[in-house]
Amino acid sequence: MSNQNFTGSKSLLRSLEHEGVEVIFGVPGGAILPAYDPLLDSPIRHVLARHEQGAGHMAEGYAMATGRVGVTWATSGPGATNLITPLQNAMMDSTPLVAITGQVASTAIGSDAFQEAYTTGLAMHCTKHAYLVKDADDIPDIVHEAFHLAATGRPGPVLIDIPKDVLNQETSWRKPTLAGLPGYRPTYEGHPKQIKAAFEMIEAAERPVLYVGGGVIAAGASEELLKFAEQMNIPVTTTLMARGAFPDNHPLALGMPGMHGVYAATTAIQRCDTLIAVGARFDDRVTGKVSAFAPEAKIVHVDVDPAEIGKIHKPDVPVVGDAKAVLESLNERARKLRSEKAAPERRYWFGLIGGWKKNKPLHYDQLEEGPVKVQHFIERLHALTKGNAIVTAGVGQHQMWASQFWGFSRPRSWINSGGLGTMGFALPAAVGAKAAHPDETVIALDGDGCFQMTCQEMITAAVEDIPVKIVVFNNGGFGMVKQWQNLFYGGRLSASEMPIEVPDYPALAEAMGCVGLRVTHPSDVDVAIEKALSIDDRPVLIEVVVDPEEMCFPMVPAGGSNDDVITGPEDLP
Amino acid sequence: MKHTISVVVEDKPGVLARVSAMFSNRGFNIHSLAVGPTHIEGRSRITLVCDAPELEQLQKQLHKLVNVIKVHEFDSSTAVVSEVMLARVACDPGSRGAANDTGALFGARVVDLSEDSITFEVAGDPDLLQAFIDHMTPFGIVDLVKSGRIAMKKQSNMRPAAVSGMSR
Ligand SMILES: Cc1ncc(C[n+]2csc(CCOP(=O)(O)OP(=O)(O)O)c2C)c(N)n1
Ligand SMILES: [Mg+2]
């Protein structure tokens, strides 16, 4: 490869710089090597992950924390296949991502060459779009299109697969255009007729509730949501993907609905007469048994993706549009039409809701002598950080407790794997978020099971100077799996327990260049948190040895009706 | 319920794979598929006959594919629908004449002939092809291949005239 000539790889770097990329999370290898050379001369930072899955989740964490497109790259074959999980994760949670993979030389494609995989084919179902670049002259336009596709409409991952000879091909760079997307026209503004119909339905409602999904965060519509909810005096539920879209300490906030949702939130949806879904997709973890979901409600469904509307549940008023634009239009109508009137009081409705909140709050018992409860630790961490942190989570009980007990006050401060439920997401996502916001406290709230899937990214955090905090809630195994086995398999625990002493988490952290702390008793909690918060030149891990028997409630068993919430062990037969 | 759908796509690598993969991913069944270029350079048309209980959802999912430009469902009363079929019919010298006469009624062309079979090419409305099959079955159909249905919106209200005076 000649360094004098302007090559496909130089064009690639130039294109990434043109898109404003600050950081690429990646791992090198043969087919992507040509791109690593001009990277040395580029202002773009490279974070060397210890596994491509980690690199992908880092890019997701970066994107979720900022709203900008996250960028990851990897080599062909195994590098590319290792990226599949993050791609599908980003697909499910509508995270804007551009993944670039090296490919074997064009002439070798289809020959089962060393480290060949049919990457665009593998990515077909887990990307918004995937490109195979055949001519280096196309790189500027393809990269530009990819960033445009990733970030606009319903955001998502886009893959660019580039054969090695194309990376080495002599080419030139020119300013890219978007001429090449004749079939791609996302709708942002809601249709005025639909906005009018939606507003009339909401105006006529006596027991309305907002069902807010991740689309509100993707659209940056929190302010419009707050205005709308206050103007119309409508209580707000926020799904797992929408935590932080509406401040939890607001009197209208009900918290998360669904399988492990807050009773008042789940029940408000069940008893409402008008459900206003904004940027939400009627996921089964929210709806439970669909035929029993919100049985008394007329439904307004706002979504930027027309395919989400009517996919699970036919709305009475569909509105295709971006959450921000549509809420703005609704606010404007409200301002015009309701200027004289005070917001509706809804005394009866808030009376009901108040009763549910009071009688069925989230609860747990923290005994003074221990064991430590995850819920308690999270509440203490929230208190000691004043909630001023970005938190990420793995998948399982700890994730649900984090969503329930961390009081969110702003969007993009909660980063988790909602749709795919990917164990191992928390730590790399935290690394990505911290790379984006070095001045913020970023905390991975992880389970022992999840942590073991990507724990080597502690090395990345330490070596790349990305001092995240990591909390590993060690309950000796897969708490959520154990909970299902206890509830639905007669307590026959199968492959859900792991020794609580192995590995030695603080020692593992120290071995990987981080500080390791351990909490075993409630009296250690505050001390450890304060210590961890005082260290900011190295990543810190706190292992919290917690109650292995604790179950996560409320719970609606999978496929059950949301009318049948088990609020605690006292409800079990 | 069967639907005939036209999908105009950019002629880019992998488009057909994406379209058909979306069908299997979302659980829609494809009965027939015909692909070819349109009169506009860089655009191809995929004509599909499929089972889709949720046609609207199917159309929306097609539209989500970046290279899909237009999706249109044909209504059989306002579209010309056509398909080409090759059928090899068993016959001996004794029955050959009868088979040939039957084929002629459908405007079928003989494209191959052997000691014990005649091969016909028939084109036209799917109902015509079905009638051809029904009438040839007594002779014994040895092999059969269909091109996949294609369609075009009609500009008039003419009924599609079948060849040899056989209307639907
Ligand atoms: C990659 C992956 N494999 C398997 C699962 C299934 N699964 C869901 S939760 C869970 C247990 C998680 O254990 P841990 O991280 O310790 O969390 P806890 O429930 O104990 O808080 C498992 C195995 C998954 N979600 N993701
Ligand atoms: Mg665990």
Side-chain angles (χ1 to χ4, degrees):
Chain A
M1 182 186 143
S2 143
N3 272 324
Q4 285 77 50
N5 300 339
F6 194 82
T7 57
S9 358
K10 288 186 185 171
S11 179
L12 175 63
L13 265 300
R14 179 85 179 268
S15 295
L16 295 174
E17 287 163 21
H18 180 74
E19 299 301 330
V21 174
E22 336 171 280
V23 54
I24 299 171
F25 303 92
V27 180
I32 191 81
L33 267 193
Y36 268 86
D37 187 78
L39 178 65
L40 287 174
D41 307 320
S42 169
I44 297 177
R45 175 182 186 187
H46 179 262
V47 171
L48 176 62
R50 263 49 180 179
H51 189 295
E52 289 85 354
Q53 183 190 350
H57 292 327
M58 286 173 199
E60 290 182 87
Y62 176 92
M64 292 174 87
T66 58
R68 294 199 293 270
V69 177
V71 182
T72 178
W73 74 18
T75 194
S76 65
T81 55
N82 278 347
L83 276 181
I84 297 293
T85 301
L87 288 174
Q88 177 65 6
N89 195 75
M91 191 70 179
M92 295 288 268
D93 289 345
S94 308
T95 306
L97 204 70
V98 166
I100 298 160
T101 46
Q103 180 56 279
V104 301
S106 322
T107 45
I109 287 181
S111 71
D112 302 320
F114 178 62
Q115 295 196 326
E116 179 177 2
Y118 177 25
T119 305
T120 50
L122 289 167
M124 196 173 288
H125 292 285
C126 55
T127 54
K128 201 169 158 183
H129 197 57
Y131 293 91
L132 173 64
V133 185
K134 296 193 158 163
D135 182 340
D137 293 351
D138 297 337
I139 287 175
D141 280 352
I142 288 181
V143 171
H144 192 51
E145 276 183 27
F147 275 78
H148 178 71
L149 288 173
T152 56
R154 178 179 183 172
V158 179
L159 177 120
I160 308 174
D161 196 30
I162 318 182
K164 190 167 184 177
D165 56 322
V166 175
L167 286 172
N168 288 330
Q169 181 192 330
E170 215 170 297
T171 183
S172 57
W173 193 87
R174 74 202 132 64
K175 222 171 156 207
T177 69
L178 280 180
L181 295 170
Y184 181 75
R185 288 173 311 262
T187 307
Y188 286 94
E189 299 294 330
H191 194 290
K193 248 172 74 188
Q194 296 307 96
I195 301 269
K196 180 165 178 282
F199 186 77
E200 280 165 8
M201 184 171 283
I202 297 165
E203 175 76 353
E206 287 178 359
R207 304 188 311 278
V209 66
L210 275 150
Y211 156 31
V212 170
V216 167
I217 290 177
S222 289
E223 232 172 86
E224 289 73 12
L225 171 67
L226 182 67
K227 219 176 265 167
F228 184 65
E230 287 182 343
Q231 209 167 177
M232 303 296 292
N233 203 24
I234 299 175
V236 181
T237 64
T238 39
T239 68
L240 184 63
M241 289 313 296
R243 305 287 296 128
F246 192 81
D248 280 325
N249 62 4
H250 193 285
L252 289 171
L254 300 184
M256 178 174 74
M259 181 178 271
H260 291 290
V262 180
Y263 181 86
T266 307
T267 308
I269 291 179
Q270 289 306 92
R271 298 284 80 85
C272 73
D273 68 353
T274 306
L275 183 67
I276 308 145
V278 187
R281 59 181 179 86
F282 294 77
D283 180 78
D284 53 81
R285 263 30 187 179
V286 171
T287 62
K289 187 170 165 193
V290 177
S291 59
F293 179 67
E296 300 153 30
K298 292 204 163 120
I299 297 178
V300 175
H301 190 178
V302 179
D303 206 290
V304 74
D305 180 357
E308 284 306 337
I309 294 180
K311 184 182 80 179
I312 304 292
H313 206 303
K314 277 251 172 305
D316 298 275
V317 180
V319 187
V320 177
D322 169 76
K324 189 180 176 94
V326 172
L327 285 169
E328 226 161 51
S329 306
L330 288 172
N331 278 330
E332 208 176 283
R333 269 202 108 73
R335 252 194 313 278
K336 271 201 205 124
L337 297 176
R338 304 195 49 90
S339 60
E340 323 287 68
K341 305 181 227 172
E345 254 187 82
R346 314 192 193 282
R347 248 198 234 176
Y348 170 70
W349 184 222
F350 283 110
L352 282 179
I353 292 174
W356 299 326
K357 278 184 167 176
K358 188 159 158 264
N359 299 328
K360 311 262 189 173
L362 294 172
H363 61 285
Y364 63 93
D365 291 318
Q366 176 61 67
L367 301 179
E368 220 172 288
E369 68 273 19
V372 180
K373 299 285 169 92
V374 176
Q375 302 94 310
H376 171 70
F377 189 93
I378 290 172
E379 289 204 305
R380 289 311 303 153
L381 186 61
H382 188 273
L384 294 172
T385 55
K386 303 193 176 61
N388 206 349
I390 295 173
V391 294
T392 73
V395 176
Q397 291 180 322
H398 66 280
Q399 172 194 30
M400 294 297 113
W401 283 318
S403 172
Q404 292 173 347
F405 286 91
W406 188 272
F408 292 95
S409 56
R410 61 188 168 108
R412 303 200 178 282
S413 61
W414 167 240
I415 295 173
N416 89 131
S417 166
L420 196 62
T422 309
M423 290 173 71
F425 179 78
L427 170 57
V431 170
K434 180 79 178 170
H437 297 299
D439 298 331
E440 295 207 38
T441 304
V442 179
I443 309 170
L445 299 176
D446 216 353
D448 51 338
C450 291
F451 178 72
Q452 289 186 37
M453 290 210 174
T454 51
C455 62
Q456 73 273 31
E457 302 304 348
M458 280 198 295
I459 305 171
T460 309
V463 172
E464 298 274 349
D465 190 22
I466 304 175
V468 294
K469 321 275 178 226
I470 305 153
V471 179
V472 176
F473 294 109
N474 184 1
N475 56 0
F478 298 150
M480 188 59 94
V481 173
K482 201 167 137 182
Q483 175 165 344
W484 282 53
Q485 290 174 341
N486 275 323
L487 293 176
F488 312 120
Y489 292 87
R492 285 157 56 85
L493 300 186
S494 178
S496 55
E497 291 176 296
M498 304 191 298
I500 208 153
E501 324 69 38
V502 189
D504 177 337
Y505 291 94
L508 184 65
E510 297 282 348
M512 292 190 176
C514 305
V515 177
L517 308 171
R518 175 178 289 131
V519 170
T520 53
H521 193 271
S523 60
D524 307 338
V525 169
D526 282 26
V527 187
I529 293 173
E530 264 155 10
K531 173 115 196 265
L533 292 175
S534 73
I535 301 170
D536 49 359
D537 58 341
R538 275 208 288 163
V540 188
L541 174 145
I542 312 177
E543 178 198 5
V544 188
V545 179
V546 293
D547 185 356
E549 300 310 324
E550 184 77 359
M551 289 210 240
C552 179
F553 295 108
M555 181 175 194
V556 177
S561 158
N562 278 0
D563 284 337
D564 305 324
V565 181
I566 303 168
T567 53
E570 64 281 359
D571 287 355
L572 293 173
Chain B
M1 159 105 187
K2 285 204 177 85
H3 302 277
T4 306
I5 295 170
S6 146
V7 188
V8 177
V9 298
E10 287 181 82
D11 188 10
K12 293 261 172 89
V15 178
L16 179 61
R18 276 172 182 277
V19 169
S20 57
M22 187 282 286
F23 273 76
S24 58
N25 182 20
R26 301 272 169 189
F28 303 116
N29 254 329
I30 301 179
H31 286 277
S32 92
L33 180 90
V35 197
T38 63
H39 62 296
I40 301 168
E41 165 133 13
R43 303 256 158 120
S44 296
R45 185 190 302 274
I46 302 174
T47 309
L48 287 145
V49 179
C50 62
D51 254 344
E54 266 288 343
L55 185 68
E56 192 183 317
Q57 179 60 208
L58 169 72
Q59 290 181 328
K60 286 171 168 180
Q61 292 295 344
L62 279 168
H63 269 299
K64 273 180 83 161
L65 302 176
V66 168
N67 296 135
V68 168
I69 297 169
K70 225 158 88 184
V71 180
H72 172 75
E73 195 211 355
F74 293 109
D75 165 353
S76 61
S77 64
T78 59
V80 192
V81 182
S82 182
E83 190 157 12
V84 177
M85 176 168 81
L86 295 174
R88 177 159 297 149
V89 175
C91 59
D92 50 34
S95 60
R96 183 184 291 159
N100 192 33
D101 286 353
T102 309
L105 289 172
F106 290 88
R109 239 165 33 99
V110 175
V111 290
D112 192 25
L113 182 64
S114 76
E115 298 243 307
D116 51 5
S117 73
I118 317 187
T119 305
F120 294 99
E121 177 198 79
V122 214
D125 185 275
D127 290 347
L128 178 87
L129 302 194
Q130 189 51 50
F132 178 92
I133 294 171
D134 293 344
H135 282 87
M136 288 300 185
T137 304
F139 295 96
I141 293 176
V142 182
D143 204 358
L144 188 134
V145 53
K146 287 183 174 184
S147 65
R149 206 176 286 187
I150 54 171
M152 194 178 265
K153 201 165 154 41
K154 283 202 291 190
Q155 297 283 294
S156 74
N157 48 15
M158 261 168 65
R159 302 213 10 198
V163 218
S164 299
M166 283 200 59
S167 74
R168 298 206 288 157

